[in-house]
Amino acid sequence: QLAAMAKSAEEIKAEAIELENRRTTQDFTSEDAAEETFRVLYCFHCATYAFILQDAQLFNLSRRRTDDSFIIPIQCLKKHALNRKEVKCLRREKGLVERQFRWSCSECELVIAYQSCDWAETPQYFYVLDTAVAVSPATV
């Protein structure tokens, strides 16, 4: 009987080793995902999708003193569906001139945002006009 028990103990040990060596599959759910948050913003005039922000809430961002636009760091802007519209020169205080490279809604052509550098350059910031976007298409 001792030989039979020893054999079964060896079998148990072999099974345990075999189980350890097997591949395991781990399932992930949306709850396991990183804590990144994405916010879709819409044109305030026609409710068309305008752009997506990552890890930022529009109304918590800083604003420009000159025109009260929201200042979006370019790394927070993940995707947009805006069209290049025009380059506008605006006279600011103390005789300064500001060039705005404007972006408009792809559907209704409402000016939604602008950048301060040329189209060919990657801007540091994207400026969104304060009355041009909505957080939900239902609020339009």
Side-chain angles (χ1 to χ4, degrees):
Q1 285 183 349
L2 288 176
M5 279 195 232
K7 199 171 191 182
S8 64
E10 289 175 10
E11 288 174 357
I12 292 172
K13 187 176 180 180
E15 286 177 12
I17 292 171
E18 184 181 331
L19 286 173
E20 286 178 11
N21 292 335
R22 285 186 185 171
R23 288 188 177 173
T24 60
T25 302
Q26 189 171 4
D27 294 327
F28 290 98
T29 65
S30 59
E31 293 173 359
D32 299 322
E35 291 298 318
E36 295 176 348
T37 56
F38 294 95
R39 299 202 182 337
V40 179
L41 295 162
Y42 303 88
C43 172
F44 195 78
H45 184 258
C46 69
T48 300
Y49 151 74
F51 57 89
I52 298 174
L53 291 180
Q54 179 182 5
D55 293 333
Q57 289 186 1
L58 185 69
F59 298 106
N60 291 342
L61 294 172
S62 299
R63 294 178 146 209
R64 287 191 74 190
R65 280 179 248 160
T66 55
D67 61 4
D68 212 27
S69 294
F70 295 101
I71 304 169
I72 299 176
I74 201 65
Q75 63 270 16
C76 292
L77 183 69
K78 285 302 157 199
K79 187 176 179 181
H80 70 79
L82 304 174
N83 295 329
R84 292 178 180 175
K85 182 153 178 128
E86 62 192 357
V87 177
K88 193 84 158 184
C89 292
L90 303 173
R91 189 172 310 276
R92 296 290 186 198
E93 29 181 82
K94 299 179 184 174
L96 298 174
V97 176
E98 177 185 358
R99 287 177 46 188
Q100 292 181 352
F101 296 80
R102 294 183 167 196
W103 294 90
S104 66
C105 174
S106 59
E107 190 69 29
C108 70
E109 297 190 15
L110 174 74
V111 174
I112 290 181
Y114 62 90
Q115 63 188 51
S116 59
C117 62
D118 192 73
W119 300 119
E121 299 175 32
T122 302
Q124 287 184 329
Y125 300 102
F126 197 70
Y127 304 98
V128 176
L129 301 176
D130 65 337
T131 58
V133 293
V135 294
S136 168
T139 60
V140 175

